[in-house]
Amino acid sequence: MSYFIIVMSSLLFYNLENSTDEAAVIEVLAHRTIAQRQSIKEAYKQTVGKDLADDLQGELTGNVEKVVLGLLMIAPMYDAYELRTAIKGSGTEEAALIDILASRTNAEIRAITEAYMKEHGKSLEDDIEADTSGMFKRVLVSLLTAGRDESNSVNETQAVQDAKEIYEAGEACWGTDEVKFLTVLCVRNRNHLLRVFEEYQKISGRDIEDSIKREMSGSLEDVFLAIVKCLRNKPAFFAERLYKSMKGLGTTDSVLIRIMVARAEIDMLDIKTEFFKAYGKTLHSFIHGDSSGDYRKILLELCGE
């Protein structure tokens, strides 16, 4: 264990023992990588004999606490925590289920399900099945199988057939055969689906997203749109989610926090680029204008200039 990590854990302990300064906690944790934060957690436990997350939970409050505790988790554990939070209690935060399951790779989903079982002693699939219903539930369960083809191959004949079948299952008939959308959108690989979307435009005269909006509603519409948007441009999907979480009156902090914490070390640079491209303002400026205090400070640290 490096001297630097031990010093960082000691600084946190001193701060927590002497009237917690949130700015100091942010300074230590927000500037570190996930791997460094895990090492700081380990050093804290070794040198102090206490759990860093437990100590911080007792000292921090509100949104700052949520961000900091999220930063102390490895990626699959954080996703599992967010999913558990979304489905426990009286209501379900469908947006969290969609944001996570529609955007993660097969390997990431498998890691999430393992982390969920380890942390909560329950099957994520069982919990989602118990808390959702209908075709929305079936789409989520399909995504949870982590069975999407992740090759780069495109079968041109199949792409034309898939586009035709989606069209016939939706725009071309009375009612919508949602299972056909599930079969194609949750199973085929990205490159193949991009060709399917091109063929669909030729056949129907509409973009696939427009057809989904016309044919479906509610959470089912949201999850299919999220799948399509993530396949086309995942950073742009997250940029849109961030924009919608902050525009207008009030802020949907759960969405803002989840994306900023989860994507900080994955594709934040690309998200910022897509945000500026779509909205003509920087993500940094949006966050600065929509938050305050130490909450603003830690979000801006994760965002970067």
Side-chain angles (χ1 to χ4, degrees), residues 98 101-102 128 132-145 178-179 181-183 185-186 216 219-220 223-224 227:
I98 294 168
L101 297 180
I128 285 179
T132 56
S133 61
M135 187 55 62
F136 177 57
K137 174 175 72 176
R138 292 169 67 177
V139 174
L140 295 181
V141 169
S142 177
L143 293 173
L144 276 172
T145 65
E178 294 142 342
V179 175
F181 281 80
L182 183 159
T183 302
L185 294 179
C186 296
M216 299 171 198
S219 296
L220 184 62
V223 72
F224 277 136
I227 291 168

Side-chain angles (χ1 to χ4, degrees), residues 11-206:
L11 284 173
L12 284 172
F13 177 67
Y14 177 81
N15 184 264
L16 291 171
E17 289 293 299
N18 294 273
S19 184
T20 304
D21 177 3
E22 289 186 345
V25 173
I26 293 168
E27 186 67 26
V28 172
L29 296 178
H31 290 105
R32 312 293 166 237
T33 65
I34 293 175
Q36 287 173 329
R37 288 193 289 268
Q38 295 309 302
S39 295
I40 290 171
K41 278 177 62 178
E42 182 183 352
Y44 190 91
K45 183 169 286 188
Q46 287 180 357
T47 57
V48 179
K50 299 169 73 179
D51 185 83
L52 176 57
D54 289 345
D55 279 0
L56 287 170
Q57 194 167 13
E59 295 293 331
L60 303 176
T61 59
N63 289 326
V64 173
E65 177 189 358
K66 292 175 184 176
V67 176
V68 169
L69 294 180
L71 291 175
L72 289 174
M73 301 179 200
I74 59 174
M77 194 64 74
Y78 181 64
D79 283 343
Y81 169 80
E82 285 291 295
L83 289 169
R84 179 62 183 159
T85 301
I87 59 182
K88 72 178 183 181
S90 57
T92 303
E93 189 196 347
E94 287 85 358
L97 306 183
I98 294 168
D99 283 353
I100 295 171
L101 297 180
S103 66
R104 301 315 192 247
T105 65
N106 289 345
E108 288 170 339
I109 288 176
R110 284 191 289 270
I112 292 166
T113 57
E114 290 173 8
Y116 193 95
M117 176 61 77
K118 179 180 178 181
E119 189 69 16
H120 304 293
K122 296 181 177 181
S123 160
L124 175 57
E125 181 178 329
D126 288 347
D127 278 359
I128 285 179
E129 283 190 328
D131 214 60
T132 56
S133 61
M135 187 55 62
F136 177 57
K137 174 175 72 176
R138 292 169 67 177
V139 174
L140 295 181
V141 169
S142 177
L143 293 173
L144 276 172
T145 65
R148 182 184 298 282
D149 172 16
E150 291 187 329
S151 71
N152 295 315
S153 63
V154 177
N155 184 321
E156 292 291 340
T157 302
Q158 186 64 56
V160 173
Q161 183 65 25
D162 284 342
K164 181 180 178 183
E165 290 184 0
I166 289 178
Y167 175 63
E168 291 175 348
E171 294 279 2
C173 71
W174 180 259
T176 306
D177 180 3
E178 294 142 342
V179 175
K180 180 53 64 177
F181 281 80
L182 183 159
T183 302
V184 174
L185 294 179
C186 296
V187 177
R188 307 286 194 259
N189 72 58
R190 178 177 183 270
N191 286 350
H192 180 89
L193 283 168
L194 294 180
R195 280 292 294 123
V196 171
F197 300 157
E198 291 175 2
E199 289 299 323
Y200 185 87
Q201 178 83 45
K202 294 177 185 177
I203 294 169
S204 69
R206 297 184 190 279

